[in-house]
Amino acid sequence: MTTVAFLGLGAMGYPMAGHLAGQFETRVWNRTPEKAQQHAAQHGSQACADVAEAVRGAAVLFTCLPTSAEVDALADTVLGAASAGLVWVDCTSGEPAAARALAVRAAQAGVVFLDAPVSGGTSGADAGTLTVMVGGDAGALDGVRPTLAFAAKVVHVGPSGAGFAVKAINNALLAVNLWAAGEGLAALARAGVDVSAALQVINASSGRSNATENLIPQRVVTRAFPVTFKLGLLAKDAGIALRVVNDARASAPVLNAVEGLMRGAANAVGADEDHTAALKLIERLNDQEIR
Ligand code: NDP
């Protein structure tokens, strides 16, 4: 049976590793060890006390940490413990430049590094229906495709760093849609229009988006703001998108603006709040709740 390892059992990693444990011999490690022990009890994975123990002898390694900085901090240990031929699938939403650098370092240790961030949120992770966008060696990806048990769609998007670049731009678009819808709905509410009625119309019209169809009705209008994807992580992704724009010497004034707005919202509202709580800043600016 193929042995796989998973480092980082957060909101995404915990359910993703659960799908692996059903099909492969799965070792899990988490900074806070109680989560790994809980995972072992719930899913039959093997909780490891340290990173090297998890990685040693594994054929495929998955990581899902907040940023590339936390991934880089584990790299020496991972590469020191890795068997030659290990494929490292990094599902963090990370930095393209960090992926390129780590792919080179990994190759020197006989390891293939793939940047493989995911989309679909915690509900997609629970259901095993995530989309994975992969940068790096296409042949290595084909070799590990059968182990991507948490995914419904896997797309090779280019060389090292391309997966992280696509993910960052996708999330910048999420931020744009969310913020713009928030501005529009706050204005309508101030004008005396019922927000739910406005959403009914928008969602049957050309202004609709995932923000108007799902996020705002389920999380903002209800005032629930359940924390499944932290605002600080969305601000981080908008920052990565800006670096993608600048590295390509592209002109993207809206993406520039949304990075500042997400960073400001994380500072003002709280980085550990749900990403939809960015709209609380719009509410303050307008002295108007969106509901
Ligand atoms: P969480 O904050 O829920 O989990 C973060 C994980 O990283 C935890 O396991 C945490 O361990 C671990 N961690 C944090 N700091 C360190 C460190 N210094 N060293 C080792 N481990 C550390 O994040 P998510 O699961 O939400 O996000 C993970 C990645 O996936 C991010 O890049 C995010 O942008 C991306 N993503 C998130 C989505 C979502 O809907 N939540 C959707 C798609 C992508 P501990 O338990 O000890 O805190």
Side-chain angles (χ1 to χ4, degrees), residues 8-13 29-32 35 64-67 70 74 91-94 118-122 167 171 228-230 233 236-237:
L9 304 174
M12 293 299 285
W29 173 86
N30 194 67
R31 179 181 62 174
T32 307
K35 277 194 206 164
C64 192
L65 299 172
T67 74
E70 289 81 19
L74 299 182
C91 299
T92 305
S93 299
V118 297
S119 74
T122 52
K167 174 67 187 175
N171 278 23
T228 64
F229 176 43
K230 291 174 192 153
L233 291 175
K236 173 261 302 180
D237 291 336

Side-chain angles (χ1 to χ4, degrees), residues 1-287:
M1 196 188 231
T2 305
T3 301
V4 303
F6 205 110
L7 312 180
L9 304 174
M12 293 299 285
Y14 192 98
M16 288 167 71
H19 289 285
L20 298 177
Q23 296 187 34
F24 308 103
E25 188 176 318
T26 302
R27 302 185 191 152
V28 294
W29 173 86
N30 194 67
R31 179 181 62 174
T32 307
E34 290 74 21
K35 277 194 206 164
Q37 285 149 13
Q38 185 190 330
H39 199 275
Q42 186 178 346
H43 293 291
S45 54
Q46 185 188 326
C48 294
D50 60 57
V51 169
E53 181 193 341
V55 171
R56 211 169 284 125
V60 187
L61 167 66
F62 297 90
T63 39
C64 192
L65 299 172
T67 74
S68 288
E70 289 81 19
V71 175
D72 282 345
L74 299 182
D76 279 342
T77 311
V78 166
L79 296 177
S83 308
L86 173 76
V87 180
W88 180 351
V89 180
D90 183 16
C91 299
T92 305
S93 299
E95 298 275 352
R100 289 189 287 270
L102 195 45
V104 170
R105 273 179 72 194
Q108 288 160 357
V111 170
V112 179
F113 178 88
L114 301 174
D115 46 300
V118 297
S119 74
T122 52
S123 57
D126 286 338
T129 56
L130 293 173
T131 298
V132 192
M133 53 221 91
V134 186
D137 186 82
L141 169 61
D142 286 339
V144 300
R145 270 180 199 267
T147 64
L148 304 177
F150 44 75
K153 186 188 265 288
V154 179
V155 183
H156 183 256
V157 292
S160 271
F164 286 165
V166 172
K167 174 67 187 175
I169 296 295
N170 176 75
N171 278 23
L173 299 181
L174 157 65
V176 168
N177 288 335
L178 180 63
W179 187 270
E183 284 190 3
L185 291 169
L188 286 171
R190 278 185 68 89
V193 175
D194 178 73
V195 166
S196 293
L199 280 168
Q200 264 186 53
V201 173
I202 290 166
N203 288 336
S205 306
S206 48
R208 70 187 179 276
S209 64
N210 184 51
T212 60
E213 288 179 326
N214 295 305
L215 296 175
I216 293 174
Q218 291 164 16
R219 300 181 183 218
V220 179
V221 173
T222 59
R223 315 310 290 168
F225 302 101
V227 183
T228 64
F229 176 43
K230 291 174 192 153
L231 178 52
L233 291 175
L234 182 57
K236 173 261 302 180
D237 291 336
I240 298 171
L242 207 50
R243 286 186 279 287
V244 171
V245 165
N246 289 336
D247 287 352
R249 291 195 209 143
S251 170
V254 173
L255 300 189
N256 234 290
V258 91
E259 194 271 339
L261 293 168
M262 289 301 123
R263 182 63 55 201
N267 289 341
V269 177
D272 287 335
E273 296 274 315
D274 189 60
H275 63 301
T276 54
L279 270 52
K280 289 182 182 172
L281 180 54
I282 295 176
E283 293 179 335
R284 283 187 209 166
L285 295 171
N286 286 284
D287 192 23

